[in-house]
Amino acid sequence: EQPKTLFAYVGANLKNPVSELVSSYEQETGVKVELTFNNSGALLNQVETTKQGDIYMPGGMPFVEQARQKGHIDEVVGPIAFHTPVIITPKDNPAQVFSVQDLSKEGVKLVIPDKDATAIGKTAYRIFDNIGKTSEIEKNIIANLETPPKVLAAITMGQGNAGIVEYSNTFNDGDKIEVVEIEAEVNEVEQIPIASLAYSTNKELAMEFIQYVHKNGPKVFDKYGFKTE
């Protein structure tokens, strides 16, 4: 008998914790979980095109809401953890960026995750709106990249002097960058949900996996630097 298989679409920024959760789930249950990682927008496009799969786990609720409105979603569980935007700069902070407001200063070369494709990109624009400086900050954006890890790589390679990423992206690179936390009153912390797809042919199994992630996810996400409360 072939082992049962689930298919999950997972946000690229969630790769490490979800891979670990899947590995332990497979060992415990014998159920195989096939994973495809990409930015949340690209995954939603895949779901819309193929109308197949069991699980959708993007980086934030706006993509789940979008998918729900289009009839792709059955049930949503979470939050499993939180996406917490932070500003990063090279180690010497050449543009002297110490707050979100500073991202509008002359001489800032800002790199951010793409606002249409990523949860953090969408969130970044809400933060800019919160301080009323969207147009000034937009003028300083020199690149919109597909994922937060690509933003981190760009900053560490000197391709920009400020970036916006998720808190967990800074976990292993503290020696190469400075992290500037965004003031709580303007920051937009996003819930990371997990949802079952309407197209699942294994709905019961999909919900079992979702409950497993809900129960065990926070501890694993915490290990990889995500905030879980």
Side-chain angles (χ1 to χ4, degrees):
E1 191 185 338
Q2 286 290 316
K4 291 179 177 169
T5 303
L6 291 171
F7 189 86
Y9 302 89
V10 180
N13 211 41
L14 315 180
K15 184 173 185 177
N16 290 337
V18 172
S19 296
E20 181 172 322
L21 283 161
V22 163
S23 178
S24 59
Y25 178 77
E26 288 179 339
Q27 283 171 5
E28 279 186 35
T29 64
V31 175
K32 185 165 173 45
V33 184
E34 290 182 9
L35 296 167
T36 184
F37 295 104
N38 209 327
N39 61 52
S40 300
L43 293 175
L44 183 51
N45 289 339
Q46 272 182 273
V47 171
E48 290 187 317
T49 305
T50 65
K51 293 189 167 45
Q52 290 179 338
D54 304 286
I55 311 288
Y56 180 45
M57 192 174 184
M61 280 302 292
F63 284 99
V64 163
E65 288 305 334
Q66 227 176 310
R68 202 200 312 246
Q69 284 165 16
K70 293 177 177 181
H72 305 315
I73 299 293
D74 265 351
E75 290 194 54
V76 182
V77 173
I80 310 304
F82 297 91
H83 256 151
T84 308
V86 293
I87 298 165
I88 55 169
T89 75
K91 202 70 187 161
D92 56 349
N93 196 353
Q96 298 291 283
V97 172
F98 303 107
S99 67
V100 187
Q101 286 80 358
D102 287 346
L103 295 176
S104 65
K105 289 195 312 191
E106 199 175 328
V108 171
K109 295 175 181 171
L110 180 61
V111 183
I112 70 166
D114 187 276
K115 71 172 173 146
D116 296 318
T118 69
I120 286 286
K122 277 191 193 305
T123 305
Y125 268 79
R126 294 214 304 276
I127 295 166
F128 304 158
D129 288 343
N130 287 347
I131 62 166
K133 287 187 177 282
T134 303
S135 57
E136 294 99 311
I137 294 173
E138 232 173 352
K139 288 175 192 161
N140 287 338
I141 296 173
I142 61 164
N144 295 277
L145 301 181
E146 296 97 327
T147 62
K150 289 190 176 180
V151 173
L152 178 72
I155 297 302
T156 56
M157 291 189 292
Q159 300 167 352
N161 52 33
I164 290 182
V165 296
E166 206 285 315
Y167 183 74
S168 63
N169 300 126
T170 68
F171 203 48
N172 297 318
D173 290 278
D175 56 330
K176 299 177 195 161
I177 54 168
E178 295 291 338
V179 178
V180 179
E181 296 221 10
I182 297 168
E183 309 93 292
E185 58 271 20
V186 300
N187 206 358
E188 293 275 349
V189 175
E190 189 64 66
Q191 294 184 9
I192 300 172
I194 183 168
S196 59
L197 289 169
Y199 313 108
S200 176
T201 53
N202 273 310
K203 290 186 190 288
E204 204 174 302
L205 203 58
M207 279 314 296
E208 280 175 24
F209 174 70
I210 284 172
Q211 293 303 337
Y212 180 89
V213 172
H214 191 220
K215 180 185 171 191
N216 300 285
K219 187 178 174 185
V220 177
F221 271 77
D222 182 66
K223 178 177 149 187
Y224 286 96
F226 285 82
K227 294 191 178 184
T228 54
E229 54 184 52

